[in-house]
Amino acid sequence: MPESRQRQSPARRAPERDARNRTAPEREAPRSETPPRETMRSLPGFVQPYLTWITGVPLEGGKQLIPWSPVKAGLLGLVQMAGGITLGAFALHPFTAWSIPLLVLGWLFTSGGMRRLDVVVVHQTLHRMFAKSTRVNRVVGEIITTAFWRTPYDKNREEHLAHHAYPCSMKDSDTLYLLNTGMRPGMTRSEFRRYLWKALVSPRHHLLGFFGRVKGNFVGVAPRYRLWMSLGYAAATATFLALTGWWVEWLVLWVVPVSVVFQNCTFLYTMTEHRWWLFGNQERLSRDKRDLLTFGRFCGEPVPDASLTGLRKAGAWSRWTFRMLVVHSAYRMFVLVGDTVQHDLHHVMPACDWANSPWIRADDQGNRPERYTEVWGSLADHLRAAGQVDDARTGLPEDTEPTPWKESVPVLTGVVPGGDGTSTGETR
């Protein structure tokens, strides 16, 4: 687990040879001469920890000042969630012209905290990597999933292990979910935007998703104690609301962020999690191909060119600062939370020190660069790369040969009609 000493990010090692006698950098996608994170080296030292958090990448040779732990990661989720609820309560009483924007911000913070507890803490309990004790992992996982009306621990673990065994295949429940929303490879940008916005605001999408979550906590639940947890939580909530009369507050400050906001953030996260359609949703893939299904979702962009002067320099730095402080920070706070920015590391090394994943990934990439790819930018860049929008190949080695959609498993088996790689984006 996290070391008390300072951890140092390794310098770039010499290239290694893979099984095909090709140097590892030759298999990586072309990179600029200076990686985006390294262009930020000249910025003041006090902003470097923030930049490491935003980008998910430490400076080469940099030192980790604060080791993280699973407990700290969980506490951060609780603090963020509590902060969002507090902000929302402040916005409600009294209700003024500023209440709506403050409520929206509160919803995002509350949902972001919930997602830290769900996609980070619960996720690691499923791998039995949150705590050393199997029982503690189960208890923590069951409590959080009960509170957020998420899939009970045993079924959740079964589905997640299938995701690791057959990523992006038809045995992967996330693949089936995305297919059901209408996501397909090869959409144009305009087609993809229509599909995306329609899914994000679709009442059917949200109602089916939320009621499916609630139903999963009460119908066909196993083991029996988990049903009693759900019933006890429902009874405690009803009693609390009856005694306090805070029905409006509960609906606005809890139900909205745990349903619509949470589901939209999870939807966006899931879409960027893998290159879902890269190899036609096949079940059996070589290790090299499996590695390419996942990529480092790094947030940020190189600092403005040093050759700029005057107003052009001021404008470029203003734009860069705004995007780092607002665009990329929001993405990291509400969608790409915790260690999920290094999700490729999780698939390469599921049993790693995940709480300190930026440093662990940097070290492992120095040893095995052929196992990692990355995409820099914003949520939009990651959506395009993962969804192969306009047949995007960002971050892929030049010799990668994607499977044509018409030859994919969903098309060949008749799960989805057609094979032209386009979609109406209809949420079914």
Side-chain angles (χ1 to χ4, degrees), residues 232-254:
Y233 177 54
T237 300
T239 300
F240 172 79
L241 295 176
L243 292 174
T244 61
W246 291 351
W247 291 93
V248 172
E249 289 82 355
W250 176 70
L251 288 171
V252 173
L253 303 180
W254 185 262

Side-chain angles (χ1 to χ4, degrees), residues 184-195 384 387-391 421-423:
R184 304 287 188 271
M187 292 184 189
T188 64
R189 292 195 181 193
S190 60
E191 288 173 336
F192 186 77
R193 281 194 295 267
R194 287 196 298 270
Y195 149 74
R384 286 193 289 267
Q388 295 171 243
V389 179
D390 280 337
D391 296 319
T422 61
S423 170

Side-chain angles (χ1 to χ4, degrees), residues 50-369:
Y50 165 78
L51 293 173
T52 295
W53 169 69
I54 286 292
T55 62
V57 180
L59 289 172
E60 291 184 8
K63 294 181 179 180
Q64 181 181 13
L65 301 180
I66 303 176
W68 280 84
S69 68
V71 172
K72 289 179 182 177
L75 288 175
L76 182 59
L78 289 172
V79 169
Q80 182 175 343
M81 184 175 69
I85 294 173
T86 302
L87 178 60
F90 174 78
L92 277 181
H93 302 291
F95 195 87
T96 67
W98 289 99
S99 293
I100 293 179
L102 288 177
L103 271 177
V104 172
L105 187 60
W107 289 340
L108 288 170
F109 271 97
T110 303
S111 174
M114 292 173 172
R115 283 188 40 73
R116 284 183 185 273
L117 294 173
D118 180 69
V119 78
V120 176
V121 174
V122 172
H123 174 220
Q124 294 299 334
T125 68
L126 301 178
H127 289 279
R128 296 173 179 167
M129 288 295 296
F130 179 77
K132 294 181 180 180
S133 166
T134 300
R135 177 169 293 183
V136 171
N137 281 303
R138 174 180 287 274
V139 169
V140 171
E142 293 284 36
I143 290 174
I144 296 174
T145 54
T146 299
F148 299 159
W149 300 306
R150 294 289 279 166
T151 306
Y153 184 84
D154 283 336
K155 184 178 180 182
N156 199 348
R157 187 166 191 270
E158 178 184 352
E159 291 180 351
H160 190 66
L161 294 182
H163 165 75
H164 274 265
Y166 308 100
C168 304
S169 74
M170 300 302 286
K171 289 185 177 180
D172 184 342
S173 59
D174 289 336
T175 303
L176 301 179
Y177 163 68
L178 291 175
L179 283 172
N180 192 51
T181 66
M183 187 179 180
R184 304 287 188 271
M187 292 184 189
T188 64
R189 292 195 181 193
S190 60
E191 288 173 336
F192 186 77
R193 281 194 295 267
R194 287 196 298 270
Y195 149 74
L196 181 62
W197 283 110
K198 190 169 184 178
L200 288 172
V201 302
S202 166
R204 177 179 171 82
H205 181 201
H206 285 293
L207 288 173
L208 288 177
F210 185 66
F211 284 115
R213 287 165 53 189
V214 174
K215 179 181 177 181
N217 279 262
F218 294 97
V219 179
V221 182
R224 181 65 64 177
Y225 74 80
R226 183 59 168 77
L227 174 60
W228 286 109
M229 288 181 67
S230 297
L231 291 171
Y233 177 54
T237 300
T239 300
F240 172 79
L241 295 176
L243 292 174
T244 61
W246 291 351
W247 291 93
V248 172
E249 289 82 355
W250 176 70
L251 288 171
V252 173
L253 303 180
W254 185 262
V255 175
V256 171
V258 83
S259 57
V260 175
V261 184
F262 184 98
Q263 288 170 181
N264 271 343
C265 291
T266 300
F267 174 55
L268 293 171
Y269 169 84
T270 303
M271 292 174 69
T272 63
E273 190 176 22
H274 294 284
R275 296 180 173 107
W276 294 99
W277 325 114
L278 185 59
F279 297 118
N281 309 112
Q282 300 174 55
E283 290 180 13
R284 303 293 180 182
L285 294 171
S286 66
R287 192 192 75 173
D288 285 352
K289 286 187 174 182
R290 286 170 62 98
D291 287 345
L292 291 177
L293 293 176
T294 315
F295 56 94
R297 291 172 283 182
F298 299 148
C299 304
E301 51 220 68
V303 299
D305 194 283
S307 64
L308 295 175
T309 59
L311 291 177
R312 292 185 64 190
K313 179 178 180 179
W317 275 101
S318 297
R319 180 182 183 277
W320 184 87
T321 302
F322 173 82
R323 286 181 61 80
M324 295 299 292
L325 291 177
V326 178
V327 177
H328 300 306
S329 293
Y331 182 25
R332 289 288 279 124
M333 284 290 292
F334 311 134
V335 179
L336 198 63
V337 297
D339 67 314
T340 59
V341 67
Q342 300 92 10
H343 193 64
D344 55 347
L345 170 69
H346 174 66
H347 277 262
V348 172
M349 298 175 60
C352 72
D353 178 11
W354 57 270
N356 296 286
S357 57
W359 307 87
I360 300 301
R361 186 189 186 279
D363 183 62
D364 197 50
Q365 185 180 26
N367 288 315
R368 304 183 289 178

